[in-house]
Amino acid sequence: MTPPPSTIVPPVVSLAVRVLTLICLFISIIILTTNTKTFEFTDYSSYKIKFNDYEAYKYLLATTVIGLVYTLLQTVLSVLQVASGNRLGGDIRFHIDFFADKIISTLLATGAAASFGMTLELKENFDDYEMHTFKNKSNAAASLCLIAFVFGAISSTISAYSLPKRA
Amino acid sequence: MTPPPSTIVPPVVSLAVRVLTLICLFISIIILTTNTKTFEFTDYSSYKIKFNDYEAYKYLLATTVIGLVYTLLQTVLSVLQVASGNRLGGDIRFHIDFFADKIISTLLATGAAASFGMTLELKENFDDYEMHTFKNKSNAAASLCLIAFVFGAISSTISAYSLPKRA
């Protein structure tokens, strides 16, 4: 018995979830990479803090970029499927999607978790009014990554329920 | 058509994976909660650092305890299944296991990620020889949580492949 040719939900629903993931990841990357804080001192010297001064935020960037590239690929495949009515890749594609979705959604969860932990620690040890905006923007980027994880987990659930039938 | 009464792997394999998860989580909790560092000063005063001085390690404890309680429950259910040959809970149990395994394995991944991020930051900003053992023990606890996540992800994959057939 061959498995059904499509996933358990209409392809357009899968596509919508992918697009929402993409939007969250894209905005998260923009916010994270443009987040800087410059301290001006009275002697005209200055010190600039950037996201890549912190290991956790570098990891967040890595996970969101990997998530973005993967989701972009899946979005293109979904658009092709909605347009043509055919699902590329056949049977093996269900298994690949299942594992890839699982890995990517977990990666996004870890990126958000590491960043929230970092921001909490910054808040406790470095509670400077000047750093307020920097911390809030970092939290915004991590929150968008968390929302992207939720959409990724929905995609992952769809792909699990779309796995070919058991013998 | 009713789904097969058992999971896609023999119940004893599922049970073995649960037991390995349990062992990792149990050792992780022991290492984490007994990890302290006392600084003795020349005036006989002292300062004690404990895992719960750091938000990320408190979160690690929360995730490992939740993971332990859940895995213990699943282990008991698996033992009953291996002993009696019957799987408790019927059809709905496959869906519950699928979602619960997904949530718990993701939680464990986030606990490990937040803690690794924290330890890296401690290493950069607080690179004191005295703190060496404290950081290494924290990393050991997070690593065991990561290994528990890998076993949890295997359980989660088994439960996804064990989902009832699509109509």
Side-chain angles (χ1 to χ4, degrees):
Chain A
M1 201 150 81
T2 53
S6 69
T7 53
I8 199 164
V9 295
V12 72
V13 174
S14 300
L15 174 59
V17 178
R18 299 289 185 193
V19 170
L20 290 169
T21 316
L22 262 189
I23 294 169
C24 292
L25 289 175
F26 185 72
I27 303 174
S28 173
I29 292 171
I30 300 285
I31 293 176
L32 184 67
T33 53
T34 58
N35 190 13
T36 57
K37 167 71 199 159
T38 308
F39 291 93
E40 307 278 358
F41 300 111
T42 44
D43 61 353
Y44 300 106
S45 69
S46 68
Y47 180 70
K48 195 172 176 183
I49 290 181
K50 240 182 111 40
F51 80 95
N52 56 13
D53 292 327
Y54 302 95
E55 297 299 325
Y57 300 147
K58 282 198 266 184
Y59 180 69
L60 177 61
L61 182 66
T63 56
T64 47
V65 168
I66 292 170
L68 187 81
V69 171
Y70 172 75
T71 312
L72 205 56
L73 174 72
Q74 284 286 0
T75 306
V76 170
L77 290 172
S78 285
V79 168
L80 288 176
Q81 191 182 349
V82 170
S84 71
N86 290 318
R87 189 178 151 86
L88 285 172
D91 245 35
I92 190 78
R93 175 78 196 285
F94 288 104
H95 299 282
I96 295 172
D97 281 5
F98 168 70
F99 282 102
D101 281 345
K102 200 177 180 63
I103 292 167
I104 298 295
S105 72
T106 308
L107 259 186
L108 293 178
T110 59
S115 299
F116 281 128
M118 186 67 249
T119 310
L120 268 176
E121 213 55 41
L122 276 180
K123 287 205 165 146
E124 290 212 333
N125 294 328
F126 198 174
D127 206 359
D128 184 350
Y129 178 75
E130 294 274 296
M131 283 288 282
H132 213 73
T133 315
F134 184 83
K135 289 179 217 164
N136 283 351
K137 281 193 182 166
S138 302
N139 260 350
S143 302
L144 281 161
C145 180
L146 188 69
I147 299 169
F149 151 72
V150 173
F151 288 124
I154 293 170
S155 293
S156 170
T157 303
I158 293 171
S159 59
Y161 273 92
S162 303
L163 281 170
K165 299 166 183 229
R166 285 188 281 164
Chain B
M1 200 152 81
T2 52
S6 68
T7 54
I8 199 166
V9 296
V12 72
V13 174
S14 300
L15 174 59
V17 178
R18 298 289 186 194
V19 171
L20 290 169
T21 316
L22 263 189
I23 294 170
C24 291
L25 290 175
F26 185 73
I27 303 175
S28 175
I29 293 170
I30 299 284
I31 294 176
L32 183 68
T33 52
T34 58
N35 191 13
T36 57
K37 166 72 198 160
T38 308
F39 291 92
E40 307 279 359
F41 300 112
T42 44
D43 61 353
Y44 300 106
S45 68
S46 68
Y47 180 71
K48 195 172 177 182
I49 291 181
K50 240 181 113 39
F51 80 96
N52 55 12
D53 293 326
Y54 302 95
E55 298 300 325
Y57 300 147
K58 281 198 267 184
Y59 180 69
L60 177 62
L61 182 67
T63 57
T64 48
V65 168
I66 292 169
L68 187 82
V69 171
Y70 171 75
T71 311
L72 205 57
L73 174 72
Q74 283 285 1
T75 305
V76 171
L77 290 172
S78 285
V79 167
L80 289 176
Q81 191 182 347
V82 169
S84 71
N86 290 318
R87 188 178 152 86
L88 286 172
D91 244 34
I92 190 78
R93 174 79 195 286
F94 288 104
H95 300 282
I96 295 173
D97 281 5
F98 168 71
F99 283 102
D101 280 345
K102 200 176 181 64
I103 292 166
I104 298 294
S105 72
T106 307
L107 257 188
L108 293 178
T110 58
S115 299
F116 281 128
M118 187 66 249
T119 311
L120 269 177
E121 213 55 42
L122 276 181
K123 287 205 165 148
E124 289 211 334
N125 293 329
F126 197 174
D127 205 359
D128 185 350
Y129 179 76
E130 295 274 295
M131 283 287 283
H132 213 74
T133 315
F134 183 84
K135 290 178 217 164
N136 283 350
K137 280 193 182 167
S138 302
N139 261 349
S143 302
L144 281 161
C145 180
L146 189 68
I147 299 170
F149 151 71
V150 172
F151 289 124
I154 293 171
S155 293
S156 170
T157 303
I158 293 171
S159 59
Y161 273 93
S162 302
L163 281 170
K165 297 167 187 230
R166 285 188 282 164

